[in-house]
Amino acid sequence: MSELNAQQVVDYLQHHPDFLIQHPELLAQLELQQQAQGATSLVHIQQRQLREHNTLLKNQIASMNKYAAQNEQVYRLFSLCHQQLCSNNDFDALASNLQDIICSNPDISDCRLVKYDTKYAQLVEHRLSNSGHYLGRINQQERDLLFSDTAQSTAIYLIGDINKPIAILAFASNNANHFEPAQDTLFVLDFVVALQSRLLELA
């Protein structure tokens, strides 16, 4: 009879999790051998694994709570922004009021709503041609178009079609990691659609 390899033993124990319970004498031998070598017992190993798994779950829950709180804050901000679409009949006034609202978030250092100009053509082609929005860091030339030198990460949204841009909505943060590509943009994109409709009315 050929010898079992380690994987076969693992597979067998996985399919028979009560094997060691049904053979306590073997479990005792394994524990004695582990102790003789100065290592922890199987029970201790299992306890450690459970603690590590529990720590992982706690970290995941904390991360989910953090993102939930951030999403709630974003939702509240853009609810106020939606209200501005109805109460402003002037582009400059709308841009100023949006800036006040968005910058009330301490993580956002600047907010710009600017009418499209050909000076933004390279920025649009480089950052916005694929999805119409970009989150992350930008280079110095792009930063000079929209923000101050303190801007470390940005969120930029194209208002209008790539072939016929209307405006650019952009946010900046002094935190280099605040805006990143993996972030959820649902609330912002919903506002961008409403903003585009409003700007077409004001044109």
Side-chain angles (χ1 to χ4, degrees):
M1 181 177 179
S2 61
E3 294 184 0
L4 294 174
N5 60 40
Q7 187 58 50
Q8 289 174 317
V9 175
V10 170
D11 291 342
Y12 182 85
L13 291 176
Q14 286 178 337
H15 286 90
H16 302 83
D18 59 345
F19 179 81
L20 291 177
I21 296 176
Q22 294 177 356
H23 299 80
E25 72 286 354
L26 176 59
L27 180 60
Q29 291 175 9
L30 291 173
E31 289 180 342
L32 287 173
Q33 182 179 2
Q34 291 282 345
Q35 291 168 354
Q37 295 175 352
T40 56
S41 69
L42 293 178
V43 173
H44 291 155
I45 292 174
Q46 186 179 45
Q47 289 176 339
R48 186 184 67 231
Q49 291 175 337
L50 289 173
R51 284 195 298 269
E52 291 174 352
H53 183 63
N54 189 41
T55 299
L56 176 62
L57 289 177
K58 286 182 177 179
N59 290 338
Q60 290 176 339
I61 291 173
S63 178
M64 290 173 63
N65 287 337
K66 176 184 175 182
Y67 285 120
Q70 289 177 344
N71 283 340
E72 182 179 1
Q73 187 177 40
V74 170
Y75 172 77
R76 292 179 182 275
L77 279 178
F78 282 95
S79 292
L80 294 174
C81 289
H82 274 283
Q83 295 175 18
Q84 293 299 315
L85 297 181
C86 301
S87 58
N88 287 270
N89 297 315
D90 175 77
F91 183 96
D92 293 336
L94 176 59
S96 177
N97 289 330
L98 291 179
Q99 183 179 46
D100 290 341
I101 292 172
I102 297 300
C103 290
S104 67
N105 183 331
D107 292 320
I108 300 179
S109 60
D110 202 356
C111 169
R112 298 293 175 90
L113 174 63
V114 295
K115 292 181 179 179
Y116 178 75
D117 186 276
T118 53
K119 67 180 180 180
Y120 300 118
Q122 187 174 355
L123 171 67
V124 170
E125 180 180 358
H126 184 207
R127 302 293 187 185
L128 307 174
S129 59
N130 290 328
S131 63
H133 65 275
Y134 170 80
L135 284 80
R137 302 184 185 187
I138 56 178
N139 60 43
Q140 185 64 50
Q141 182 181 1
E142 294 167 333
R143 186 185 295 115
D144 291 341
L145 282 173
L146 296 168
F147 306 113
S148 67
D149 286 336
T150 60
Q152 296 299 312
S153 63
T154 62
I156 307 173
Y157 299 86
L158 181 66
I159 312 300
D161 186 81
I162 187 66
N163 296 316
K164 193 176 181 181
I166 300 171
I168 292 175
L169 178 66
F171 317 124
S173 175
N174 293 337
N175 180 350
N177 298 315
H178 183 71
F179 292 114
E180 54 186 24
Q183 277 183 318
D184 184 7
T185 58
L186 176 63
F187 296 133
V188 187
L189 291 178
D190 182 55
F191 175 72
V192 165
V193 172
L195 176 59
Q196 177 175 327
S197 297
R198 183 56 176 159
L199 293 182
L200 288 173
E201 293 174 358
L202 296 177

